[in-house]
Amino acid sequence: MSEAHASALPAPFLVALREAAPQMAISDDADDRATFGRDYTRVHEPNASLVVFPTTTTEVSHTLRLANEHGVAIVPSGGRTGLAGGALATNGEVVLSFDRMRRMDPVDVLGGTVRVQAGAVTQAVHEHCAHAGLTWPVDFASKGSSHVGGNIATNAGGVKVLRYGLTRQWVLGLEVVLASGEVLELNGALEKNNTGQDLRQLFIGSEGTLGVVTEATLKLAKLPGKLTVALFAVEDLAKVLDLFVKVKLGPFTLCAYEFFTAACLARLERHRKVRAPFAERHPYYVLVELEHADDAALETFVGETFEAGLAKDGVLAQHEGEARALWELREGISESLSATGLPHKNDIALPLAQLGSFCARFGEVFETRYPGWEICLFGHVGDGNLHVNVMKPDTMDKPTFLTKTKEADADMFALVKEHGGSVSAEHGIGLLKKHALAYTRTEAEISLMRATKRLLDPNGILNPGKIFDL
Amino acid sequence: MKILVPLKRVADPDNANKVKVNAGKLVTTGLEWKPNPFDEYAVETALRLTENGTATKTRQGEVVVVTFGPKDSETTLRAMLGTGADRAIRVDTGDDQIDGDVVARALKALVEKEKPDLVLCGKQAVDGDSGQVGQQLAEYLGWPQATFAGSIESEGDKALLVGREVDGGTIKLRVELPAVVSVDLRIVAPKSVKSVHTPATHAYPEGVRFAALMAIMAAKKKPLAEVKLADLTSDAAPKIQYLDYELPPARKAGVKVKDVTELVTRLKTEAKVV
């Protein structure tokens, strides 16, 4: 691949950009282009020609308007924690980084909202709102890096979806810049606004292909009260689902219901020192986080759970340090898989009623067609979301593995389709899951999406090649 | 083997509410409590010495935990009963009317009544950092002691071979039971404790065990006795008088600099670090 560079961009574009946004930082440094040209994935090498760091919506608008005029492709870039290659610049694009758009306005306590720029870091927003007793309940392992804008563009999920829903539910207003440079303010800070098509929702989850989010009015929730964290050892998947029903109907508010397999825990223990939850090994582990669980209710509930044989064992965090240690067992998995081997990642969703049947069939397919492959399963069972990680066998070389995972994916996606599931639950499509889109969306749907894209971005400058080709 | 483990609760550093000082007195209202970590290690050590590591649900001996504090400090004791201790004793006191010496003298009386083979304690509490109780108790009892234990090997439950963590290495010494041993962080490593019940090849998981849900439920039925301090020592007056407390100075707010030039200038002229 030939290395892209700013010199390959139309000279009049660069001149006009400099003139229109004289204060905006622009970098053609090779390190910057490599860093800002990629997300968390390492499948493709980045190849960006330039990185721009706007600080205002006006600068973003100038950049897009000029890019549109000169046919320059733009890749919007947030915290670069995406897992589908949605923020990858592989084709000499200009990267539009939101690293310097981090402003957070004072919290509106009465309205329960906060207005922030797209580059505000998720965790910083949490800390900013905590003083007012409020929080933006979008929460996941990469919250220390991910941007609000990126979360919105990918409609991010995470560990609290069960309790609070997706990012989509927690965005009131959006400021979006279109490919033409036109700035739209959508919905303001209104909870209720029944005045025709909700254009805001069109941009949420569009992965930067329809417009670029520059600011957002976020809806806030009350900070949760005292949380109870427990980890259960469960003997099979059917019981994981039975236990979910039991917990969901329990005398408390269920905030998280996460599971992982013995293979995940083994990888975690190989990678770093963790406090083992149980002396014995178990096939499945379930982490449960509860709000408003009073002692007496919890006692009855736990007694019934063990009596019904839903769990083999269970531990309860006695203080915040232990709660964090239990969460670490779940949240550390992704990093430990990458640190101890080469995982091939899939992020699928299934209707809960189909989960048992899917897993049984999935196990059969892998045992017969890919014997000996180590599969690390974890995820947010509570919302039907499974993270399927296939580890490269030590004896297999990387190219063979990558070829074989393509075949394995085809098998798995066919199963996902058969069970009415989705090939990408929360990671998005980006570059990496494009080939799988048709397993979940129909030809008619994809044509509609293409038509929308052409309408909003006729020159195809916004994150080209992501989600689908035109 | 019967083991007595004294433990103390300390303010949970993970909680947003911190200890405050008002007119030279500590204010502990609103604090969340947790067991002193070194005391948790002592309980874990006691459990490892009185079980077969491959079948931890059966106890081969007795572990008694004791704390000094008001009624609500029983939560800390219950938590330890949940991890496997058999019995608990609360010596009724306030949090701040006692010092290490009072505790050591009261513990002496309790030891004479309970007759354990071993007293295991943490090397220090992480709030006051006094590190006195174990040593004073050994002196009052006239028992052998080993401090800063990083490893313990039971020799037929008659004596312990203790590896003491010292600067630059380990000192091994043998103490005949009964004895007082205070433990350091490394005592909870997978192979630090060798009991007479556990196969020599067994490796424990790293660190302190979690409290099992079933055990927490069962712990509610385990005996928890209350004892009056006056019943243990006739002289409950602290010898140490705490004159004043001072919190570390609040961090000053940072400043934002305009550009690298300003940063370098201020690093030179104000911070004087370059």
Side-chain angles (χ1 to χ4, degrees):
Chain A
M1 187 195 296
S2 66
E3 162 110 347
H5 194 261
S7 57
L9 294 168
F13 166 71
L14 293 171
V15 173
L17 188 62
R18 227 354 6 138
E19 205 169 292
Q23 300 290 322
M24 183 168 68
I26 296 178
S27 172
D28 66 349
D29 175 75
D31 283 347
D32 279 347
R33 287 186 289 119
T35 305
F36 291 92
R38 67 161 37 146
D39 54 15
Y40 197 72
T41 60
R42 293 293 179 266
V43 179
H44 299 291
E45 283 305 308
N47 189 32
S49 58
L50 197 71
V51 189
V52 299
F53 299 95
T55 55
T56 64
T57 301
T58 311
E59 285 176 343
V60 175
S61 166
H62 284 314
T63 306
L64 293 192
R65 176 177 53 81
L66 292 168
N68 197 34
E69 275 172 31
H70 295 275
V72 172
I74 297 283
V75 173
S77 165
R80 306 187 305 285
T81 56
L83 294 168
L88 260 174
T90 55
N91 218 3
E93 299 96 331
V94 170
V95 174
L96 179 65
S97 168
F98 284 89
D99 253 28
R100 300 193 187 178
M101 290 184 66
R102 301 189 171 207
R103 193 194 80 242
M104 294 185 281
D105 289 346
V107 176
D108 168 7
V109 181
L110 179 64
T113 67
V114 66
R115 178 82 169 181
V116 301
Q117 276 187 312
V121 172
T122 314
Q123 194 169 349
V125 174
H126 292 170
E127 285 161 11
H128 181 63
C129 301
H131 301 293
L134 296 166
T135 191
W136 190 47
V138 172
D139 193 1
F140 35 74
S142 58
K143 63 185 164 205
S145 313
S146 74
H147 289 185
V148 166
N151 296 345
I152 293 172
T154 57
N155 186 25
V159 292
K160 299 289 167 67
V161 170
L162 184 61
R163 168 84 168 88
Y164 295 104
L166 293 160
T167 299
R168 192 181 291 288
Q169 271 112 301
W170 297 93
V171 177
L172 284 183
L174 268 192
E175 181 186 73
V176 177
V177 182
L178 299 180
S180 62
E182 189 178 347
V183 181
L184 299 181
E185 177 62 52
L186 304 171
N187 201 55
L190 294 173
E191 179 72 49
K192 291 187 164 181
N193 179 17
N194 244 344
T195 51
Q197 297 177 13
D198 189 348
L199 296 176
R200 157 189 63 152
Q201 297 297 353
L202 194 59
F203 294 96
I204 301 176
S206 70
E207 301 189 35
T209 61
L210 301 182
V212 176
V213 175
T214 44
E215 287 192 17
T217 301
L218 307 177
K219 178 174 162 177
L220 305 176
K222 196 174 90 167
L223 269 176
K226 193 170 165 53
L227 297 171
T228 304
V229 179
L231 189 80
F232 290 93
V234 186
E235 61 190 334
D236 57 42
L237 193 73
K239 294 237 164 82
V240 171
L241 298 175
D242 291 345
L243 181 60
F244 175 61
V245 174
K246 175 86 188 152
V247 178
K248 196 164 61 163
L249 301 175
F252 29 62
T253 308
L254 179 58
C255 297
Y257 190 90
E258 298 283 311
F259 98 117
F260 52 94
T261 57
C264 297
L265 184 61
R267 288 272 175 181
L268 195 73
E269 286 176 331
R270 255 168 73 186
H271 176 218
R272 54 181 176 164
K273 272 190 187 178
V274 290
R275 268 178 78 179
F278 304 104
E280 294 84 20
R281 302 264 136 204
H282 299 275
Y284 292 90
Y285 300 95
V286 169
L287 184 145
V288 174
E289 187 175 87
L290 310 169
E291 193 181 342
H292 309 307
D294 76 69
D295 280 355
L298 195 64
E299 185 174 354
T300 314
F301 166 78
V302 168
E304 287 170 8
T305 301
F306 284 105
E307 228 160 77
L310 295 177
K312 298 289 278 183
D313 208 342
V315 294
L316 182 74
Q318 303 275 358
H319 45 78
E320 276 184 56
E322 290 198 338
R324 208 171 44 226
L326 289 180
W327 264 113
E328 216 180 290
L329 297 174
R330 163 63 188 84
E331 294 204 307
I333 292 171
S334 202
E335 194 186 326
S336 292
L337 295 186
S338 302
T340 57
L342 180 70
H344 171 68
K345 289 175 170 298
N346 266 302
D347 161 48
I348 58 176
L350 292 147
L352 273 174
Q354 298 292 320
L355 204 62
S357 151
F358 171 83
C359 285
R361 295 276 305 282
F362 166 79
E364 278 166 33
V365 167
F366 269 79
E367 258 162 51
T368 48
R369 294 196 41 157
Y370 313 95
W373 283 26
E374 179 187 344
I375 298 176
C376 295
L377 267 185
F378 65 96
H380 325 289
V381 190
D383 48 45
N385 186 181
L386 291 182
H387 295 303
V388 183
N389 287 255
V390 178
M391 304 301 294
K392 182 181 85 63
D394 292 337
T395 50
M396 191 182 285
D397 62 68
K398 191 175 161 181
T400 314
F401 176 67
L402 290 178
T403 314
K404 287 202 170 257
T405 52
K406 283 218 177 73
E407 299 166 26
D409 277 357
D411 286 345
M412 188 176 75
F413 292 153
L415 268 185
V416 168
K417 185 175 181 178
E418 200 185 314
H419 288 87
S422 166
V423 294
S424 186
E426 59 178 9
H427 292 175
I429 295 293
L431 272 185
L432 268 48
K433 294 285 183 259
K434 264 162 72 173
H435 63 283
L437 185 62
Y439 285 97
T440 301
R441 308 297 293 266
T442 61
E443 205 35 61
E445 284 180 280
I446 297 172
S447 321
L448 257 177
M449 289 199 275
R450 281 204 177 96
T452 313
K453 166 75 176 168
R454 284 197 200 98
L455 178 72
L456 287 166
D457 179 20
N459 298 333
I461 63 148
L462 286 176
N463 218 4
K466 308 294 161 53
I467 307 180
F468 47 74
D469 290 313
L470 281 171
Chain B
M1 186 157 45
K2 177 175 177 177
I3 305 176
L4 185 79
V5 185
L7 54 97
K8 185 183 181 183
R9 63 175 185 175
V10 295
D12 186 348
D14 287 314
N15 195 267
N17 293 324
K18 306 287 178 202
V19 74
K20 293 179 194 69
V21 173
N22 185 19
K25 290 239 181 300
L26 284 184
V27 182
T28 57
T29 44
L31 290 182
E32 293 272 338
W33 301 95
K34 63 174 277 189
N36 172 40
F38 291 110
D39 298 344
E40 284 185 297
Y41 307 153
V43 173
E44 175 67 29
T45 308
L47 296 175
R48 291 187 188 184
L49 282 170
T50 54
E51 71 188 8
N52 179 341
T54 60
T56 55
K57 291 203 166 67
T58 323
R59 198 124 311 283
Q60 321 246 11
E62 192 181 17
V63 176
V64 182
V65 287
V66 53
T67 197
F68 289 69
K71 182 79 180 164
D72 68 341
S73 65
E74 287 184 359
T75 314
T76 310
L77 291 173
R78 286 281 175 215
M80 292 300 126
L81 293 175
T83 65
D86 300 286
R87 200 147 66 73
I89 300 166
R90 181 176 67 85
V91 181
D92 187 45
T93 63
D95 276 316
D96 53 358
Q97 310 142 12
I98 50 173
D99 62 9
D101 185 65
V102 174
V103 172
R105 277 183 284 122
L107 279 176
K108 173 181 183 272
L110 203 58
V111 166
E112 282 164 354
K113 207 169 115 205
E114 289 284 338
K115 300 192 174 41
D117 303 294
L118 173 65
V119 176
L120 268 176
C121 49
K123 68 166 182 173
Q124 74 198 88
V126 297
D127 52 0
D129 277 341
S130 303
Q132 300 173 348
V133 170
Q135 288 91 326
Q136 284 180 314
L137 175 61
E139 171 64 22
Y140 288 140
L141 286 167
W143 285 9
Q145 66 166 319
T147 50
F148 307 105
S151 67
I152 295 177
E153 187 180 342
S154 174
E155 297 183 324
D157 283 355
K158 300 276 181 259
L160 301 177
L161 194 60
V162 178
R164 297 183 61 237
E165 304 255 320
V166 292
D167 202 12
T170 304
I171 298 176
K172 282 238 160 145
L173 52 86
R174 176 174 289 115
V175 287
E176 302 284 332
L177 296 179
V180 179
V181 176
S182 60
V183 301
D184 209 333
L185 168 67
R186 244 168 293 198
I187 196 71
V188 292
K191 292 193 157 193
S192 292
V193 178
K194 305 241 181 271
S195 83
V196 295
H197 313 288
T198 304
T201 49
H202 181 75
Y204 275 95
E206 184 73 37
V208 175
R209 68 195 65 186
F210 286 95
L213 276 164
M214 285 307 272
I216 293 172
M217 302 310 156
K220 303 208 163 152
K221 296 187 186 77
K222 286 183 179 175
L224 195 162
E226 185 192 326
V227 177
K228 295 267 171 265
L229 183 60
D231 294 340
L232 296 175
T233 172
S234 52
D235 175 16
K239 286 182 184 162
I240 299 171
Q241 213 190 330
Y242 293 93
L243 299 179
D244 198 9
Y245 299 90
E246 196 179 322
L247 294 175
R251 252 182 70 184
K252 282 187 199 141
V255 285
K256 276 195 178 167
V257 293
K258 203 165 71 261
D259 50 28
V260 176
T261 323
E262 189 192 341
L263 174 68
V264 173
T265 314
R266 296 182 74 151
L267 284 176
K268 272 187 185 153
T269 55
E270 288 172 37
K272 296 194 171 39
V273 289
V274 287

